[in-house]
Amino acid sequence: MLAVGGKDYNVKIYDDSTKSLMSVLRAAGTTNEGHSNRVFSVKFTEDPNVLLSGGWDNAIFIWDLREKKSVGLLYGPHICGDSIDLRGDSVLTGSYSNKDVLQLWSLSKRELITHIPWNGVATESYDHGYLYAAMFEKHGRYIAAGGAGKNETHVFKNGKDYEMVGKVMLDNTVTSIDFVQEKKMIAIGCGNGFTYSFAYNP
């Protein structure tokens, strides 16, 4: 299956083999809960019947395709790009914001686990992240995120202290990231049309 979100506030599910529309998870209405603004990120969980979506309405909706409706909500993240990811019960979100930009949530409990300090230390000052992208490394050992605040990408260990193990400053907005598997490297896509690769030190 293929899930798509967009400017009509709906999440559409397609059959990947036939490219036909299977169902529509509707925007907010009088009889249903759903998005009230554009959807920028959609991610399936380990259960192929359950997926998450987020966008400009500061809400991550949890959808069950068997019930064709929302069955839960994580409220807070302002999603403006590919900045929702999952590993097991942990949901990673990156917000286009200057405060609490990188967060981990419990999918089963529907609650916040922790804020990951963008600058590597807990502080009450602004984060300047304005994130467009966030993701786990394939094995869940590391987290990478990037955005427009200072055109930075940061890499953190996924553990108790969320130690920052890499930081890259670029001359344009970071719009996408990905881990180069089996190597301690990340690929970074920027708003100027260029893609960069950098090593980080665990």
Side-chain angles (χ1 to χ4, degrees), residues 148-168:
K150 293 184 178 179
N151 302 333
E152 294 175 322
T153 294
H154 294 184
V155 181
F156 304 87
K157 280 187 177 180
N158 184 15
K160 180 180 178 181
D161 298 321
Y162 301 100
E163 175 190 358
M164 188 191 300
V165 295
K167 178 178 179 179
V168 178

Side-chain angles (χ1 to χ4, degrees), residues 18-194:
T18 65
K19 306 302 186 288
S20 59
L21 181 65
M22 298 172 60
S23 62
V24 178
L25 306 174
R26 297 289 178 185
T30 56
T31 60
N32 65 288
E33 291 185 352
H35 285 289
S36 59
N37 214 319
R38 296 188 180 201
V39 179
F40 279 86
S41 185
V42 180
K43 186 75 65 172
F44 278 96
T45 69
E46 294 176 351
D47 182 342
N49 293 301
V50 179
L51 63 108
L52 310 182
S53 62
W56 280 355
D57 55 7
N58 303 326
I60 307 292
F61 280 92
I62 305 167
W63 305 92
D64 191 318
L65 299 183
R66 292 159 296 195
E67 299 187 36
K68 297 184 179 180
K69 68 177 184 179
S70 172
V71 294
L73 178 71
L74 306 175
Y75 186 76
H78 187 71
I79 304 298
C80 292
D82 186 16
S83 58
I84 301 174
D85 203 8
L86 298 103
R87 283 296 178 275
D89 188 55
S90 295
V91 180
L92 174 69
T93 60
S95 292
Y96 190 85
S97 173
N98 64 359
K99 191 70 173 176
D100 299 330
V101 297
L102 196 59
Q103 297 174 309
L104 284 173
W105 306 76
S106 168
L107 179 61
S108 60
K109 295 180 180 179
R110 314 288 202 259
E111 65 183 24
L112 181 68
I113 298 172
T114 190
H115 303 283
I116 300 175
W118 179 241
N119 295 308
V121 292
T123 175
E124 293 182 0
S125 63
Y126 291 124
D127 288 334
H128 301 295
Y130 293 98
L131 302 183
Y132 281 116
M135 72 175 304
F136 288 107
E137 176 259 348
K138 179 175 68 172
H139 302 293
R141 296 171 297 191
Y142 300 95
I143 291 167
K150 293 184 178 179
N151 302 333
E152 294 175 322
T153 294
H154 294 184
V155 181
F156 304 87
K157 280 187 177 180
N158 184 15
K160 180 180 178 181
D161 298 321
Y162 301 100
E163 175 190 358
M164 188 191 300
V165 295
K167 178 178 179 179
V168 178
M169 299 187 71
L170 299 162
D171 59 3
N172 209 280
T173 299
V174 176
T175 57
S176 63
I177 54 175
D178 202 356
F179 282 92
V180 180
Q181 303 302 343
E182 311 309 329
K183 296 182 180 180
K184 298 297 187 293
M185 298 183 68
I186 52 174
I188 304 169
C190 292
N192 58 6
F194 286 89

